[in-house]
């Protein structure tokens, strides 16, 4: 009979992922992110953690571990946290701090997640830091916020006012722009070439006039303007596809398979300026190799779909450029969505906001849009 320390653990000889309590030590998203050496290191990190949770993690002093199903569920939530830290830090690391955990919880609170997901993720992080403290003498984590899923805390308290929305639109048009290639002297051009080489991760000698045009492209303006109109969730920005965009009718058509938190198709009104920005970006994106073979509307510099972390960093830069005061304000990408709902409700009514933000009623499901896209587009013009 196998000992408890080996029960539920498996190392496949054909190179497949080892498992503890049926949870892979290296998940597929992590495997795609890491090189071979990092995979080996991360695998051993996870093996130590998951076997500890299974054997004694619940009550170390009594040698009592968690049930297999609990280990399995927490393993995936903890893996998502590790990957978030890697994106946040821009590199692989197993040095996780309590500041990381607090920042991650703030993103969960601001994002479009269920109450249970928030609460269960925080439990998983508590068990992770309990392991780190027990095994390595790490810091004890006392969360700065408690994710209990209380309804009043589902969204950020702060949102962007009408004048701030206008400032964000204008900042997006200026974001990352550089002088025209032919307007620069040889010395100035070389300085900008070094800047763009670092920005795009290419050799200096590879920077040319086309690179300058790329720096002044329409990706960021189209992304920001579409979010200001449609209140796009971070997941929706990541999922957005070229096929959503209907520039002839100035709408985004989100099919059921791409919808977030529903199984319905949605027609989202956008302003003519946004439609034009999207049309320009769709033409421009065809010039970039990383979009070859994918219908993704926007990808990060690293060729990944956008997520909460990358979007919040972008928003922070836009706020700085727009000189929006963020002091003592709880602002995140989700605050743009919150502003659409708040201001559109004031300009039109709750039903217009409900349909524009793709909210489903808890008691009824609307089978058609009772507020026309033209009416909602007019309201978007008024709120800026």
């Amino acid at each position: 009979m196998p000992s408890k320390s080996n029960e539920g653990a498996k190392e496949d000889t054909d190179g497949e992922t080892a498992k503890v309590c049926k949870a892979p030590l290296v998940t597929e998203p992590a495997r795609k992110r890491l090189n071979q050496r990092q995979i080996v290191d991360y695998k051993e990190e996870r093996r130590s953690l998951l076997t500890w949770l299974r054997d004694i993690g619940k009550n170390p002093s009594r040698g009592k571990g968690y049930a297999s199903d609990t280990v399995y569920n927490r393993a995936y939530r903890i893996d998502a946290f590790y990957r978030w830290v890697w994106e946040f830090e821009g590199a692989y690391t197993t040095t996780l701090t309590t500041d990381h955990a607090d920042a991650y919880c703030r993103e969960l609170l601001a994002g479009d997640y269920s109450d249970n997901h928030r609460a269960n993720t925080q439990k998983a992080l508590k068990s992770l830091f309990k392991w780190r403290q027990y095994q390595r003498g790490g810091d004890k984590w006392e969360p700065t916020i408690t994710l209990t899923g209380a309804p009043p805390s589902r969204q950020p308290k702060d949102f962007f006012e009408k004048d701030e929305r206008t400032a964000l639109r204008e900042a997006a048009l200026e974001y990352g722009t550089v002088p025209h290639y032919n307007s620069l002297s040889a010395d100035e051009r070389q300085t900008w070439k070094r800047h763009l080489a670092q920005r795009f991760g290419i050799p200096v000698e590879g920077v040319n006039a086309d690179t300058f045009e790329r720096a002044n492209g329409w990706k960021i303006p189209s992304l920001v303007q579409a979010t200001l109109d449609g209140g796009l969730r971070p997941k929706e920005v990541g999922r957005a596809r070229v096929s959503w965009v209907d520039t002839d009718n100035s709408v985004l058509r989100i099919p059921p398979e791409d919808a977030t938190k529903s199984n319905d198709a949605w027609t989202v009104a956008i302003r003519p300026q946004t439609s034009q920005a999207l049309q320009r970006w769709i033409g421009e994106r065809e010039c970039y190799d990383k979009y070859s073979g994918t219908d993704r509307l926007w990808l990060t510099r690293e060729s990944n779909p956008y997520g909460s972390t990358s979007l919040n960093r972008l928003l922070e830069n836009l706020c700085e450029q727009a000189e929006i005061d963020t002091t003592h304000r709880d602002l995140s990408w989700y605050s743009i969505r919150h502003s659409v709902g708040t201001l559109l409700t004031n300009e039109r009514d709750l039903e217009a906001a409900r349909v524009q933000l793709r909210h489903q009623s808890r008691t009824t499901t609307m089978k058609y849009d009772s507020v026309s896209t033209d009416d909602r587009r007019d309201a978007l013009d008024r709120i800026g």
Side-chain angles (χ1 to χ4, degrees):
M1 179 178 296
S3 66
K4 183 177 181 180
S5 61
N6 291 324
E7 184 181 356
K10 180 175 76 171
E11 178 74 50
D12 296 317
T13 57
D14 60 359
E16 293 183 3
T17 308
K19 297 180 179 180
V20 172
C21 294
K22 298 183 179 180
L25 297 183
V26 184
T27 64
E28 193 59 29
R31 188 175 293 276
K32 290 179 179 179
R33 171 67 173 76
L34 305 176
N35 63 40
Q36 192 57 44
R37 293 175 180 174
Q38 291 167 340
I39 287 174
V40 172
D41 184 73
Y42 184 53
K43 181 184 289 187
E44 294 312 308
E45 171 95 351
R46 292 267 291 177
R47 189 193 309 278
S48 177
L49 166 65
L50 298 187
T51 54
W52 183 85
L53 290 176
R54 183 197 62 201
D55 295 343
I56 63 172
K58 189 172 184 179
N59 190 335
S61 63
R62 299 180 60 184
K64 186 176 181 180
Y66 289 104
S68 292
D69 287 347
T70 301
V71 175
Y72 177 85
N73 290 326
R74 293 192 180 183
Y76 279 97
R77 298 180 191 278
I78 291 171
D79 176 71
F81 173 58
Y82 271 81
R83 288 185 280 111
W84 178 90
V85 172
W86 301 340
E87 183 178 355
F88 182 84
E89 296 294 343
Y92 168 77
T93 181
T94 57
T95 303
L96 311 181
T97 69
T98 56
D99 287 341
H100 285 144
D102 285 328
Y104 189 60
C105 287
R106 286 194 295 272
E107 284 210 8
L108 290 175
L109 186 62
D112 190 37
Y113 301 99
S114 70
D115 299 337
N116 285 338
H117 176 76
R118 292 191 186 101
N120 289 333
T121 298
Q122 189 167 69
K123 288 179 182 178
L125 296 189
K126 285 181 178 179
S127 62
L128 167 64
F129 279 89
K130 185 178 177 182
W131 166 72
R132 292 181 66 84
Q133 185 181 26
Y134 185 88
Q135 294 286 83
R136 303 176 179 181
D139 294 334
K140 183 178 182 180
W141 181 43
E142 297 290 350
T144 57
I145 57 174
T146 301
L147 301 182
T148 58
S153 299
R154 290 188 64 85
Q155 294 182 357
K157 295 179 181 179
D158 295 313
F159 62 92
F160 292 101
E161 300 287 353
K162 182 177 178 179
D163 60 335
E164 293 176 328
R165 288 168 53 84
T166 300
L168 285 175
R169 287 185 192 276
E170 294 172 352
L173 292 172
E174 296 181 16
Y175 184 78
T177 56
V178 301
H180 192 276
Y181 185 84
N182 294 328
S183 70
L184 299 170
S185 67
D187 289 343
E188 290 171 335
R189 190 176 295 159
Q190 191 62 26
T191 299
W192 279 105
K193 280 186 173 183
R194 287 194 292 269
H195 168 76
L196 292 176
Q198 183 177 13
R199 175 172 163 182
F200 292 118
I202 60 177
V204 173
E205 55 270 22
V207 177
N208 53 30
D210 289 339
T211 314
F212 277 69
E213 289 296 321
R214 177 183 175 187
N216 294 333
W218 285 90
K219 182 178 79 168
I220 297 303
S222 66
L223 189 160
V224 172
Q225 290 183 38
T227 299
L228 283 165
D229 287 357
L232 298 182
R233 303 171 173 99
K235 284 186 178 180
E236 290 172 326
V237 174
R239 291 180 183 179
R241 300 185 179 277
V242 174
S243 55
W244 289 14
V245 182
D246 180 351
T247 56
D248 291 337
N249 296 293
S250 290
V251 295
L252 299 177
R253 302 188 186 278
I254 305 178
E257 61 269 22
D258 289 335
T260 301
K261 302 179 73 66
S262 78
N263 295 315
D264 294 334
W266 296 96
T267 301
V268 181
I270 57 176
R271 305 194 322 166
Q273 296 95 321
T274 303
S275 182
Q276 188 173 86
L278 284 165
Q279 188 172 34
R280 287 177 178 272
W281 166 239
I282 288 172
E284 180 188 336
R285 72 184 285 283
E286 297 299 321
C287 300
Y288 305 138
D289 291 340
K290 68 181 177 183
Y291 289 99
S292 178
T294 179
D295 192 33
R296 298 279 188 182
L297 186 53
W298 302 292
L299 294 174
T300 66
R301 188 177 66 181
E302 294 76 22
S303 301
N304 297 318
Y306 277 90
S308 294
T309 301
S310 50
L311 289 172
N312 285 336
R313 283 180 178 172
L314 170 60
L315 182 63
E316 183 179 349
N317 292 334
L318 289 171
C319 286
E320 182 178 353
Q321 184 162 322
E323 298 183 350
I324 294 174
D325 186 7
T326 60
T327 308
H328 307 306
R329 298 178 70 186
D330 180 21
L331 293 173
S332 70
W333 194 260
Y334 210 85
S335 300
I336 301 177
R337 178 176 173 83
H338 196 39
S339 76
V340 176
T342 302
L343 298 174
L344 192 55
T345 297
N346 292 340
E347 286 287 339
R348 189 62 167 79
D349 55 33
L350 282 169
E351 179 60 14
R354 188 195 73 78
V355 177
Q356 184 70 1
L357 294 181
R358 304 161 302 286
H359 284 157
Q360 281 189 310
S361 171
R362 292 185 178 183
T363 56
T364 60
T365 301
M366 300 294 293
K367 297 299 182 182
Y368 57 90
D369 183 354
S370 60
V371 181
S372 73
T373 55
D374 287 338
D375 286 344
R376 285 187 274 131
R377 190 176 297 110
D378 290 342
L380 286 170
D381 279 332
R382 291 195 295 276
I383 70 175

